[in-house]
Amino acid sequence: MLLLDITVVNTALPDIQEDLDASFTDLQWVIDAYTLTLAAFTLSAGSLADRLGRRRVFAWGLAIFTVASLGCALAPSADALNIARAFQGVGGAVMFAVSLALIAQEFHGRELGTATGIYGATIGGAVAIGPLVGGALTDGLGWESIFYLNVPIGIAAVWLTLTRVRESRDPQARGVDWVGTVTFSGSLLCLVLALLRGNSEGWESTNIVLLLAGAAVLFAAFVVAQMRVREPMLPLALFRIPSFTGVQLGAFAIAGSQFALFLYITLYLQNVLGLSPLEAGLAYLPITLTSFFVAPISGQLIARVQPRFLIGGGLALAGLGLILMSGVEEGDEWTTLLGGFLLGGVGIGLLNPPTAAVAVQVVERAQSGMAAGINNTFRQVGIAVGIAAYGALFLNRAESEIAERLPGADAHGLSEAVSSGALPSGPEPVVAAAREGFFAGFNEILLIGGGLALAGAVAALLLVRPQDIREDAEPALAAAA
């Protein structure tokens, strides 16, 4: 459910825009409202579960996620949908944080390796079929069905959790770092708000300047709090380990490039090329299926190839794939993206297993749960900030292109319209300028995303070192793979 609610939603966005009369910014919030709360609460949710009981907190997380899914399906407006998506993210954060801990308490040795392998395969499968499921449901039953689907599954999962899962706690659990949670989430929210509103309100406007200043102040307060509290949600000392820093940068880079750009690729496929949700889901199969089949191979290679080469190589391929996709022009078909999709799929499949593995292998065993949570948090932050930043860059470039072609026209309104699927009607020069604005912005953010992935590849190659990995971690990794 967690992964589907990221990948499924992409193919439903144009239908959501039409039914709820959503703006381009509203569409960005459909993804960001979910990923922001997911990123903000994952680490705190793990600490809360250790103190109050993992089964109890997991069941509450499932319940929140299920009720929020129903709220999404029934939402009468874009604002109501995005509020419900934020609550989905809170429930999702609990599920992300606690699910692996529940598996670890039930299985040991080789059985644990098998169980975590099944867990990973489930995640990979969800990513692989997500766009296709989303397209089929949206085409056949409407976009609401992608959220209704979670309700019976969520109810069944709550029942199974309460009747089949043992309760467990950590008698030495650390306290919840509420100061860190508030400052971290507040900083993220201010930054994303500024990025989403900057083009419409003006980057030098009072509101935007205050939001950016608030993001900086709250982040500084977060760092200070992490240095002073006894049990921080993000122990900064871990970043003294080069490999730990390298995998976090790699996780941020792949999420902030390839995954954040899926929103804009979907808008291109459906709003510009006119593909149906199902056809867009089929178009995504080259990247999702390739990553699904490459990931197990990468898992087997970890014992033979240094992880930095797998992570760095995967990021490099993903970056080259995005660069290959840029250069889209009027008259191109979706197959123009095929080469980039294939390279990106190989890259994602290659880097995901070693990124997750190294994140927990370079810290003490007792800190592995926290390390996994930090890695997931960096991924979600990458998606949330990436979507907002690309939106700002995209609209700015599109407006410049339209203003150059149609002096005196409402460049901002035209760029918003073509981005959200409401292609303007009227004289051919207006329609042509709006579409060219879309292509200009789309190609630019693909290039920037490719550059981010390549920068992540360099960071991984330089920072991820074999000597940082615990010696006792390799057998466990081989079993899990």
Side-chain angles (χ1 to χ4, degrees):
M1 286 195 296
L2 284 173
L3 270 296
L4 282 174
D5 265 59
I6 295 176
T7 57
V8 160
V9 171
N10 277 320
T11 49
L13 287 175
D15 280 45
I16 291 172
Q17 185 278 327
E18 184 177 348
D19 281 3
L20 300 183
D21 194 25
S23 67
F24 180 61
T25 300
D26 291 330
L27 295 184
Q28 292 172 294
W29 271 119
V30 173
I31 307 296
D32 268 359
Y34 182 73
T35 53
L36 269 176
T37 49
L38 199 63
F41 293 105
T42 296
L43 295 176
S44 298
S47 299
L48 199 63
D50 289 343
R51 289 174 68 87
L52 301 181
R54 298 184 180 104
R55 183 184 69 172
R56 176 193 298 178
V57 172
F58 186 73
W60 273 108
L62 277 168
I64 293 170
F65 188 89
T66 303
V67 172
S69 296
L70 182 61
C72 290
L74 298 174
S77 66
D79 287 341
L81 172 62
N82 290 329
I83 290 171
R85 284 285 284 171
F87 279 103
Q88 259 196 323
V90 174
V94 174
M95 294 154 65
F96 251 135
V98 186
S99 53
L100 274 174
L102 291 176
I103 290 175
Q105 79 182 23
E106 298 293 338
F107 302 97
H108 304 281
R110 284 194 171 276
E111 283 189 343
L112 178 59
T114 302
T116 53
I118 293 171
Y119 180 91
T122 303
I123 291 175
V127 172
I129 67 171
L132 188 59
V133 170
L137 287 173
T138 302
D139 258 0
L141 301 172
W143 65 265
E144 298 90 345
S145 62
I146 67 177
F147 298 111
Y148 280 130
L149 178 67
N150 292 330
V151 177
I153 297 174
I155 292 171
V158 171
W159 179 78
L160 284 169
T161 300
L162 295 176
T163 59
R164 300 294 182 181
V165 178
R166 291 185 299 111
E167 184 60 282
S168 65
R169 294 178 176 82
D170 182 355
Q172 299 179 331
R174 61 195 182 94
V176 178
D177 178 12
W178 293 115
V179 174
T181 300
V182 170
T183 52
F184 179 67
S185 56
S187 176
L188 267 182
L189 180 61
C190 287
L191 176 60
V192 169
L193 275 172
L195 291 171
L196 292 179
R197 293 182 177 180
N199 282 303
S200 59
E201 295 191 20
W203 291 101
E204 297 180 356
S205 67
T206 302
N207 284 343
I208 301 304
V209 171
L210 287 176
L211 282 171
L212 291 172
V217 170
L218 285 169
F219 185 74
F222 170 71
V223 172
V224 171
Q226 299 309 285
M227 295 171 64
R228 294 191 175 185
V229 297
R230 191 176 67 175
E231 295 173 330
M233 63 180 276
L234 184 65
L236 299 180
L238 292 178
F239 290 92
R240 295 174 186 166
I241 306 171
S243 293
F244 185 82
T245 301
V247 294
Q248 307 318 322
L249 293 176
F252 178 88
I254 191 62
S257 58
Q258 193 84 57
F259 296 145
L261 284 166
F262 281 156
L263 165 62
Y264 302 96
I265 294 171
T266 299
L267 295 179
Y268 169 68
L269 292 174
Q270 294 183 239
N271 291 346
V272 176
L273 296 186
L275 300 186
S276 70
L278 179 57
E279 289 169 335
L282 289 169
Y284 273 116
L285 284 180
I287 190 169
T288 55
L289 289 180
T290 303
S291 65
F292 178 69
F293 287 113
V294 170
I297 299 172
S298 176
Q300 295 296 327
L301 287 174
I302 297 175
R304 303 177 182 87
V305 180
Q306 289 185 24
R308 63 175 173 170
F309 294 123
L310 296 175
I311 298 171
L315 280 163
L317 287 174
L320 291 174
L322 290 170
I323 293 171
L324 184 61
M325 283 190 276
S326 65
V328 171
E329 299 176 347
E330 185 72 60
D332 286 345
E333 299 293 333
W334 79 268
T335 49
T336 304
L337 307 177
L338 182 58
F341 274 174
L342 291 172
L343 277 180
V346 173
I348 292 168
L350 202 61
L351 71 90
N352 268 342
T355 298
V358 173
V360 299
Q361 289 174 354
V362 297
V363 300
E364 297 297 326
R365 189 178 298 277
Q367 294 178 304
S368 59
M370 179 190 297
I374 292 170
N375 193 247
N376 281 329
T377 298
F378 267 76
R379 287 176 181 266
Q380 301 309 319
V381 170
I383 294 174
V385 175
I387 285 174
Y390 292 135
L393 294 165
F394 174 85
L395 286 176
N396 186 64
R397 181 69 180 89
E399 287 175 30
S400 298
E401 184 72 18
I402 293 170
E404 183 178 331
R405 290 173 175 270
L406 292 175
D410 179 12
H412 179 73
L414 286 173
S415 64
E416 283 265 3
V418 72
S419 303
S420 55
L423 280 170
S425 58
E428 177 59 29
V430 175
V431 176
R435 291 175 69 90
E436 287 301 324
F438 182 96
F439 293 134
F442 183 60
N443 289 326
E444 179 172 286
I445 60 176
L446 285 173
L447 285 172
I448 293 171
L452 175 60
L454 291 175
V458 173
L461 288 169
L462 293 176
L463 294 172
V464 179
R465 310 179 306 178
Q467 60 264 38
D468 291 335
I469 299 174
R470 293 195 326 266
E471 291 183 6
D472 63 339
E474 293 184 8
L477 173 63

